[in-house]
């Protein structure tokens, strides 16, 4: 069994975490895959895919950490052609994909784990690819 799905996401802020766990779970369920691997990836260069806890304070802290590590108002070479070097650099830290095992038809995630699409240069229309490999 193989399945490819594309998820559309409309973000509403410059930076935000969008919980896509339920949508990924629905794709896994629809695929009827019992055992395999689910790969969640994005083709954008100013977004990330991460797994962590969906708690309001923590989501603020994650964005705050990215702002502290990579401030927007620093001098970056990329800003000579575009004005979003900080967005690209923050995306580099997060990575663009996550892979999660599927067992017994379910994603193997911990109780407090959620899958997030992280917007770093919004608001925009974005896409996330979900590929399922298994049987
Ligand atoms: Zn750019």
């Amino acid at each position: 069994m193989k399945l490819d799905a594309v998820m559309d996401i409309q973000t509403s802020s410059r930076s935000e975490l969008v919980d896509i766990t339920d949508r990924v779970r629905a794709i896994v369920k629809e695929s009827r895959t019992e055992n395999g691997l689910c790969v969640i990836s994005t083709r954008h260069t100013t977004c990330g895919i991460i797994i962590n806890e969906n708690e309001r304070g923590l989501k603020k802290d994650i964005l705050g950490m990215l702002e502290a590590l990579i401030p927007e108002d620093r001098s970056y070479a990329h800003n000579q052609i575009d004005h979003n070097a900080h967005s690209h650099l923050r995306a580099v830290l997060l990575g663009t994909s996550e892979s999660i095992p599927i067992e017994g038809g379910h994603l193997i995630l911990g109780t407090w784990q959620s899958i997030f699409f992280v917007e770093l240069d919004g608001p925009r229309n974005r896409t996330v690819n979900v590929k399922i490999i298994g049987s």
Side-chain angles (χ1 to χ4, degrees):
M1 182 71 194
K2 233 168 60 171
L3 189 125
D4 291 290
V6 180
M7 193 187 292
D8 291 311
I9 297 173
Q10 173 63 58
T11 60
S12 54
S13 309
R14 189 78 201 278
S15 298
E16 71 179 296
L17 275 74
V18 181
D19 190 329
I20 56 170
T21 315
D22 289 345
R23 293 177 72 179
V24 176
R25 281 205 170 104
I27 292 167
V28 171
K29 190 177 177 188
E30 190 189 331
S31 79
R32 298 174 189 272
T33 304
E34 280 295 306
N35 285 285
L37 189 66
C38 178
V39 181
I40 301 122
S41 63
T42 181
R43 298 194 288 179
H44 305 292
T45 58
T46 53
C47 303
I49 303 286
I50 64 170
I51 295 174
N52 217 290
E53 184 175 346
N54 189 350
E55 190 278 318
R56 183 198 287 264
L58 181 63
K59 289 192 286 184
K60 262 178 113 166
D61 291 337
I62 290 168
L63 294 176
M65 172 192 72
L66 293 171
E67 284 164 23
L69 289 173
I70 305 169
E72 182 173 353
D73 59 2
R74 206 179 273 170
S75 172
Y76 300 106
H78 180 66
N79 283 348
Q80 289 174 5
I81 59 150
D82 204 355
H83 291 286
N84 62 355
H86 65 287
S87 306
H88 291 279
L89 295 173
R90 290 171 188 174
V92 167
L93 286 188
L94 300 183
T96 58
S97 72
E98 291 285 354
S99 300
I100 304 166
I102 300 167
E103 286 177 26
H106 300 285
L107 286 173
I108 301 301
L109 284 172
T111 307
W112 304 108
Q113 285 186 312
S114 292
I115 308 160
F116 292 100
F117 173 84
V118 185
E119 176 62 82
L120 298 166
D121 195 24
R124 291 204 217 184
N125 284 306
R126 302 292 204 173
T127 56
V128 169
N129 293 74
V130 179
K131 188 176 198 77
I132 295 168
I133 304 160
S135 55

